[in-house]
Amino acid sequence: MSAYFERMKKKTDALRGRDDLLILGIESSCDETACAVLRGRQILSNKIASQVEIHKRFGGVVPEIASRNHVLAIDNLVKGALEEAGVRQEKLDAVGVTYGAGLLGALLVGESYAKAFAYALDKPLFAVNHIRGHIAVNYVASPRLEPPFVCLIASGGHTAVAFAADYDEISVMGTTQDDACGEAFDKVARVLGLPYPGGPQIEKLAAAGKPDISLPRPFKGTDSFDFSFSGIKTAVINYANTLKMRGEELPRADLACSFQELVTDIMSDNLVRAAIARKCDKVVIAGGVGANKRLRAKVEEKAAAAGITAFYPPVGLCTDNGVMIAAQTACMIRAGRQCSDFDLDADADVRIE
Ligand code: KG4
Ligand code: ZN
C-alpha cells in the first residue's frame, strides 16, 4: 500500500455525505475519449472527442487505432473540460476513470492518464465500472431520481435488466444469453448496407418502413427476464440471403422497422415486467441503445399503463460520455466504496454485478 493511498483513504472518508462534490470523470473504454466535470448532480462541462469517422471506414472499432487516438486526445480534452467548467484542477474533490469493461489498450490510456493526474494533484482516484456509469448518469439527467428502481442496460456490449437497490447496489434479474442488443443493431445494419454505428442508422431507415416481416421472438410465452438476439439477427440474415438468391429487391426499410419493433418490444416488456415483479414503481433506461426513440416511447407507454414512472437520459448522455463516469464516482463515494491505489489495472470483461 502506498503512502499516497493511505492519504487518499482519509480524504475519501472526509468526502462522504457531501452532495456538492466536484468530480472529474474520464472515459476511454471504446471509441470516444470523454471527460466531464460535475458539481453534485450539475454538469459543469462535458467534452467528447468521437472517433466514429475514423473507424467508419473499417465497419467497426479497430482497437489499436482507438488507443492511439485516445492518447492524442486526452490531455487537451481534460484541460478543455476544466476550463469550460471554470474549475481549477486543485479544487477537484476526486477523479473517476473507467477501468472496464472495454478494449484493454483503450482503457489503459484513460487509466494511466488519470493515475498520473490524481497523484500529481494528491486527489483520490476511483475505478469506475463503465456499465454502472450508464446507470448512474440518470441521477444527473433526472436530479429527483433515487433508488430503488429497475433498470434496463442496453448498450453495445451489454444487455440486462437489473435491480438497483441503492446508489451502488445492483443485482441482475435477466441478461442476454448471446449478443448484446447494440451488437445486434450494428450487425443487422451491416446486412442492410448501413455504416457503423448501426443503431441510429436503423432507427432512421425504420421510420420509412412497416413492421410486417415476421421474425422469431425468443423466450416467447415464458416469464424469463433474459434476452437473446442472435436468433433474430440470423433470421434477418437468412431473409436477406433468400431474397438475394431469388434476385428480389430487399425491403430494407421494412426489415429495419420489423427488427427495431421486435427488439424494442422485448426490451420494454422485460423491463416493465421485471419492475412489476419487484413491486417497484420506477424504471430507468441506460446505455447507447437507450437513445432509440421507439424504445423510449414503448417503455413510457408500458410503464404508465402499470402505474410506473420511466426515467431516461437525454440522447447525448445515453452513449458513452464522461458525465456517467463522474456520476458513478459520486455514487461510489456515497456508498462508502474505497478509492484505488497505483496498482489499479484495467479489466476488459467487467460485469454489471
Ligand atoms: O453504450 P454505448 O455508447 O457503448 C457501449 O458501452 O457499448 O452503446 C453503443 C451502442 C451501439 O451498438 C449503437 O449502435 C447503439 O448503442 N445505439 C443505438 C442508437 N444509438 C446508439 N441503437 C439503437 N438506436 C439508437 N438510436
Ligand atoms: Zn457504453
Side-chain angles (χ1 to χ4, degrees):
M1 233 179 278
S2 69
Y4 156 78
F5 182 58
E6 288 301 331
R7 281 197 309 281
M8 292 312 111
K9 280 204 299 193
K10 291 199 188 93
K11 277 199 180 181
T12 300
D13 288 338
L15 299 177
R16 310 233 194 255
R18 272 180 51 194
D19 57 10
D20 61 344
L21 294 177
L22 203 50
I23 299 179
L24 174 74
I26 299 176
E27 154 65 31
S28 71
S29 67
C30 192
D31 59 346
E32 329 270 10
T33 325
C35 172
V37 179
L38 275 189
R39 186 195 305 278
R41 294 192 183 203
Q42 187 195 356
I43 301 174
L44 300 188
S45 65
N46 177 20
K47 293 274 197 197
I48 300 181
S50 174
Q51 300 179 21
V52 163
E53 288 308 317
I54 298 169
H55 297 281
K56 224 175 206 168
R57 58 189 279 222
F58 305 106
V61 179
V62 182
E64 187 55 31
I65 295 176
S67 311
R68 285 165 192 244
N69 282 285
H70 286 312
V71 172
L72 294 176
I74 198 160
D75 191 41
N76 274 339
L77 210 66
V78 170
K79 286 178 178 149
L82 287 165
E83 197 179 306
E84 193 177 298
V87 166
R88 292 213 330 268
Q89 55 191 25
E90 299 77 23
K91 294 282 180 199
L92 290 168
D93 290 307
V95 179
V97 66
T98 307
Y99 80 102
L103 305 167
L104 208 50
L107 290 163
L108 284 171
V109 176
E111 263 190 5
S112 312
Y113 187 94
K115 274 190 206 178
F117 186 90
Y119 181 62
L121 291 166
D122 218 34
K123 304 290 179 192
L125 174 67
F126 287 82
V128 172
N129 177 326
H130 178 92
I131 318 160
R132 289 191 178 212
H134 275 302
I135 301 172
V137 80
N138 279 281
Y139 294 121
V140 175
S142 307
R144 285 177 303 112
L145 176 65
E146 284 178 16
F149 53 78
V150 173
C151 153
L152 170 71
I153 296 118
S155 76
H158 298 85
T159 305
V161 278
F163 179 60
D166 210 332
Y167 282 92
D168 194 33
E169 293 288 336
I170 314 284
S171 51
V172 171
M173 299 174 71
T175 186
T176 182
Q177 304 300 300
D178 38 60
D179 294 351
C181 58
E183 202 180 343
F185 266 97
D186 294 339
K187 286 178 179 166
V188 166
R190 201 183 285 202
V191 175
L192 297 176
L194 298 167
Y196 170 85
Q201 301 284 336
I202 291 209
E203 180 167 10
K204 222 186 281 172
L205 183 61
K210 298 182 296 302
D212 57 4
I213 298 167
S214 160
L215 298 167
R217 185 173 179 130
F219 302 111
K220 203 173 169 180
T222 73
D223 51 12
S224 167
F225 302 125
D226 283 337
F227 302 85
S228 167
F229 297 105
S230 82
I232 304 172
K233 172 197 70 189
T234 306
V236 171
I237 294 171
N238 289 345
Y239 186 88
N241 286 344
T242 308
L243 288 198
K244 201 173 171 188
M245 275 187 325
R246 287 200 208 130
E248 290 174 28
E249 201 182 322
L250 190 64
R252 292 166 69 248
D254 292 345
L255 201 48
C257 184
S258 304
F259 169 79
Q260 179 178 263
E261 283 305 307
L262 176 59
V263 167
T264 54
D265 231 40
I266 293 168
M267 289 194 286
S268 53
D269 257 15
N270 278 13
L271 174 62
V272 175
R273 278 193 303 109
I276 293 169
R278 278 279 171 166
K279 298 188 171 41
C280 190
D281 63 357
K282 278 173 271 180
V283 291
V284 162
I285 310 178
V289 183
N292 188 284
K293 290 185 193 62
R294 280 302 285 154
L295 175 63
R296 295 153 85 100
K298 284 183 187 179
V299 168
E300 283 251 18
E301 193 185 313
K302 290 175 190 175
I308 292 169
T309 311
F311 297 86
Y312 43 81
V315 168
L317 292 180
C318 286
T319 43
D320 295 348
N321 62 80
V323 174
M324 59 189 256
I325 305 307
Q328 174 60 11
T329 305
C331 289
M332 291 172 72
I333 295 171
R334 184 173 187 144
R337 305 281 180 262
Q338 203 41 271
C339 56
S340 292
D341 202 350
F342 295 133
D343 58 0
L344 165 65
D345 208 350
D347 184 346
D349 301 316
V350 163
R351 299 160 77 93
I352 301 166
E353 286 179 306

